[in-house]
Amino acid sequence: MSEGAKREKDERPAKEVRQGGQERRQFRAIKGTRDILPPDTALWNWFEATAREVIEAYNFAEIRTPIFEETELFARAVGVETDVVNKEMYSFEVYESDELVERRYMVANWPWNFDQYDFFRQQIAPRFVETLKIAVDKGQIVRDAANLRIYEEIKTAMADLMDTGVQYGKNAFDRFQSAARALLIGESITLRPEATASVCRAYIEHGMQTRPGDQKLYYVGPMFRRERPQKGRYRQFYQIGAEVLGTSDAPAIDAELIEMLTVLIGRCKIEKWTLLINSIGCPDTPERKGCRPKYVELLRAELRKPEIFSKLGPDSQRRVETNPLRVMDSKLPEEQPVIEKLPKISEHLCAECREHYEKLKSELALRKVPFTESPRLVRGLDYYMRTTFEITSPVLGAQNALCGGGRYDGLVEMLGGPKGIKGIGFALGEDRFVDAIVEAKKIDATRAVDVFVAWMGEKAYPEAVRLARVLRDAGRAVELPAREMKFGKAFERADKIGARYVLILGDDEIASKRLTIKTLASGEQKQMGESELLDYVRH
Ligand code: AMP
């Protein structure tokens, strides 16, 4: 299907169909999401099993974290000035106290009315305030400064309502109502757009730093980002990722992680790929000034020069102030000549970062992992420092990144965890790996049906059920028709579903206690006893 046709299909609205005189709406998967059907699922499962095998061979263990977390976790970890947090998160409010929601609804929608003023101030308002107090005590409302101020305002307005008769009550009523409307009573949660923040949250929550050695964790699962859908870019997509958390930042850790990815790519027989690496320096810490902020200022000054600024698009122009580093990974063709001439971070690394980067390169060479240095690789998320990397493949088209990652030494501490814990990780896109595997045409993961049981007659049926069970217990994939089929039809069906053998059970077979097996590819038909069956239909 052409890209255009595909996009059109994705954007077609739900269909209305007529069924028995009635209009029925046919549902479709939500834009940017998709169903993965057999036989494609076989390849997905093969890939996941292979990835687990490779990753576990490097002694990583699986971690499973929830699919949603507090919004604040992603805002803090990933960074508010990133596209992911800024415009791509699926966030929603959840409420702990249904009663509070209902009482607030009443207060917020109560019309100002002379006759009902007393009823409001004696019945409706106090009940709301009472429920609110309980919710505050239980920690069920957002406890930031602004919200607590609103809570105080509600209490003051309540006292005024009690003291004021209807003649002068409008002012207190209005203040009470608008404060009640402004109060945030829910908690904002978000479908995870990535999993590193969740892994770090779990690491801290469970005090995993007290376990021996580095924590080498991997995860598998769906992520959610409201990006513009296109080939290779979905709103629900699947990642496999791995993180190493511990006290060491030895470049050998970075190199081993990258080596592991290249081994996985090798297993998938994807031949066309490029590993890009870079170092993006270090941030300021209370102990010392980092080299990145200095470089960022240099870059910003350069970008503000009118002859450069005027050649940038609106997105990049905004980033000059908010996040100049991100200008470096702009893909806009017209910005490329300007970006090529900007100062490169690799030329502004501090001595420690430079040494770390040099060691990373020699560690990669030791492991015979070919790499290309890419001074523009800054990565989209805020938490990265020093090592960043990405593996791209030209077979993927515009969305060409198979995987990416980097070092994030300050993240655990920033999320309230122990001091001095360093981290590095990557995430790979399963959707894209599967595309690249299909493109390479070297892996066939579909599993054929081994045996189709063609049975006819009342006596044959119990034997068919019994033999299907024997074969299945021995691990063969067996299709046993639930209803009797003429042999001709059974052969046709067996052929269509790609079965390798047909086990024929009719009156003759039952009478002679011999089984007839037909190999579909050759047409060869053979008689045998039950004891020979399993050996014959080996897969
Ligand atoms: P990131 O978390 O942005 O570093 O992404 C890591 C990897 O996940 C990328 O290299 C892609 O392979 C994959 N990926 C990221 N976003 C999407 C998306 N919207 N759809 C499909 N794959 C994605």
Side-chain angles (χ1 to χ4, degrees):
M1 201 187 293
S2 77
E3 264 317 293
K6 227 182 218 162
R7 213 169 309 124
E8 217 166 84
K9 180 178 154 269
D10 286 343
E11 283 167 15
R12 228 162 36 194
K15 252 192 356 198
E16 299 291 336
V17 290
R18 286 191 78 76
Q19 224 172 41
Q22 271 183 321
E23 290 284 341
R24 291 256 163 81
R25 180 162 163 244
Q26 274 188 356
F27 294 95
R28 285 168 174 275
I30 285 172
K31 186 175 165 190
T33 72
R34 59 184 180 148
D35 305 303
I36 300 161
L37 308 176
D40 299 353
T41 37
L43 189 56
W44 279 75
N45 285 331
W46 176 87
F47 175 64
E48 273 176 22
T50 306
R52 283 175 191 277
E53 213 176 280
V54 171
I55 294 171
E56 286 177 14
Y58 282 79
N59 195 30
F60 284 75
E62 186 176 5
I63 181 167
R64 297 190 185 205
T65 63
I67 265 170
F68 47 80
E69 300 267 0
E70 266 183 68
T71 302
E72 183 65 22
L73 172 68
F74 300 117
R76 264 220 267 160
V78 180
V80 276
E81 245 316 310
T82 57
D83 286 351
V84 167
V85 169
N86 229 345
K87 41 186 191 203
E88 294 170 1
M89 294 210 295
Y90 285 100
S91 302
F92 42 94
E93 293 228 340
V94 287
Y95 306 104
E96 283 299 332
S97 165
D98 291 339
E99 192 183 343
L100 183 61
V101 173
E102 281 158 24
R103 295 205 181 282
R104 197 263 288 272
Y105 183 83
M106 283 219 278
V107 168
N109 293 291
W110 198 268
W112 166 251
N113 184 322
F114 254 61
D115 300 337
Q116 287 188 19
Y117 177 73
D118 277 342
F119 184 64
F120 180 80
R121 68 178 184 146
Q122 283 159 11
Q123 301 291 330
I124 303 296
R127 294 234 163 85
F128 165 64
V129 175
E130 234 167 72
T131 318
L132 176 57
K133 271 189 187 139
I134 296 169
V136 171
D137 289 345
K138 286 192 181 160
Q140 291 172 336
I141 70 159
V142 177
R143 295 188 65 92
D144 62 14
N147 216 34
L148 292 176
R149 258 199 314 277
I150 295 172
Y151 175 50
E152 290 307 316
E153 168 64 17
I154 289 173
K155 285 194 292 187
T156 325
M158 181 72 234
D160 290 349
L161 273 178
M162 294 317 272
D163 288 346
T164 321
V166 69
Q167 226 68 10
Y168 304 101
K170 176 85 166 64
N171 179 285
F173 176 90
D174 284 348
R175 276 195 292 120
F176 186 81
Q177 191 172 53
S178 56
R181 283 179 183 157
L183 187 78
L184 293 177
I185 57 178
E187 182 186 19
S188 176
I189 65 173
T190 292
L191 296 182
R192 64 181 182 194
E194 57 101 58
T196 301
S198 306
V199 172
C200 290
R201 197 260 313 130
Y203 177 89
I204 298 165
E205 185 170 335
H206 303 286
M208 291 175 84
Q209 74 279 5
T210 60
R211 298 184 177 200
D214 287 340
Q215 290 307 297
K216 297 164 78 178
L217 304 166
Y218 80 93
Y219 58 83
V220 179
M223 307 293 154
F224 306 85
R225 294 182 196 169
R226 230 187 56 234
E227 295 188 272
R228 198 170 50 77
Q230 64 182 87
K231 183 171 162 24
R233 190 158 76 188
Y234 308 96
R235 290 179 166 185
Q236 174 173 339
F237 58 99
Y238 297 82
Q239 283 188 341
I240 297 179
E243 320 282 350
V244 184
L245 292 155
T247 49
S248 166
D249 63 357
I253 299 176
D254 311 28
E256 194 184 65
L257 201 70
I258 296 172
E259 175 197 311
M260 178 168 90
L261 275 165
T262 61
V263 168
L264 176 58
I265 292 175
R267 290 275 187 98
C268 295
K269 307 229 172 353
I270 300 169
E271 278 158 11
K272 294 183 192 149
W273 56 271
T274 309
L275 164 66
L276 305 172
I277 62 165
N278 191 21
S279 172
I280 55 169
C282 55
D284 286 340
T285 61
E287 293 83 40
R288 63 185 282 273
K289 285 236 164 280
C291 52
R292 190 172 48 194
K294 271 188 239 157
Y295 165 75
V296 168
E297 276 325 306
L298 181 87
L299 185 63
R300 182 177 278 138
E302 197 64 20
L303 289 165
R304 278 182 183 153
K305 288 183 180 160
E307 66 273 21
I308 294 179
F309 191 80
S310 60
K311 295 202 181 88
L312 301 174
D315 262 353
S316 291
Q317 286 187 343
R318 183 170 51 83
R319 287 183 179 136
V320 171
E321 296 313 313
T322 57
N323 198 346
L325 217 48
R326 293 288 319 277
V327 176
M328 294 303 260
D329 66 1
S330 151
K331 304 261 173 351
L332 280 184
E334 56 275 24
E335 291 181 350
Q336 302 311 308
V338 190
I339 294 172
E340 288 300 331
K341 293 198 200 89
L342 291 169
K344 299 185 171 46
I345 188 154
S346 45
E347 290 151 13
H348 297 271
L349 294 175
C350 62
E352 289 86 343
C353 286
R354 202 168 335 117
E355 193 192 336
H356 192 273
Y357 188 47
E358 290 307 318
K359 278 207 181 130
L360 167 69
K361 289 189 277 184
S362 61
E363 283 282 349
L364 286 172
L366 173 70
R367 292 168 162 80
K368 303 199 169 42
V369 174
F371 59 85
T372 305
E373 288 181 71
S374 169
R376 288 181 47 183
L377 184 72
V378 295
R379 311 268 310 140
L381 317 181
D382 266 5
Y383 50 58
Y384 289 113
M385 61 171 289
R386 288 197 175 157
T387 309
T388 56
F389 59 92
E390 201 163 270
I391 299 179
T392 60
S393 173
V395 304
L396 290 176
Q399 298 301 316
N400 65 355
L402 277 170
C403 55
R407 184 159 274 293
Y408 48 83
D409 292 349
L411 183 60
V412 167
E413 194 178 328
M414 195 180 83
L415 294 174
K419 260 183 172 315
I421 298 298
K422 320 245 162 74
I424 181 160
F426 73 81
L428 65 82
E430 282 193 76
D431 305 75
R432 303 210 188 148
F433 260 81
V434 168
D435 279 353
I437 295 169
V438 169
E439 197 67 39
K441 297 196 184 78
K442 296 270 172 61
I443 306 285
D444 180 9
T446 45
R447 178 168 178 197
V449 180
D450 294 310
V451 183
F452 189 98
V453 184
W455 60 273
M456 270 192 80
E458 263 169 48
K459 288 207 191 95
Y461 182 61
E463 264 307 275
V465 171
R466 189 183 66 78
L467 284 168
R469 177 67 171 269
V470 168
L471 286 162
R472 285 166 172 164
D473 283 350
R476 309 295 186 274
V478 175
E479 180 64 16
L480 171 69
R483 282 188 301 187
E484 189 174 66
M485 259 184 209
K486 294 236 163 64
F487 283 132
K489 192 135 194 258
F491 283 130
E492 224 174 80
R493 175 74 56 85
D495 202 36
K496 269 202 187 130
I497 67 170
R500 297 167 64 214
Y501 302 97
V502 180
L503 168 59
I504 304 160
L505 289 173
D507 292 344
D508 293 351
E509 281 75 16
I510 301 301
S512 68
K513 294 205 160 50
R514 300 281 288 170
L515 305 171
T516 307
I517 286 275
K518 182 173 174 176
T519 307
L520 281 173
S522 61
E524 188 191 349
Q525 202 154 304
K526 209 170 167 245
Q527 295 230 313
M528 65 187 72
E530 188 178 328
S531 58
E532 295 160 70
L533 178 65
L534 280 179
D535 259 345
Y536 194 74
V537 299
R538 261 194 195 295
H539 52 246

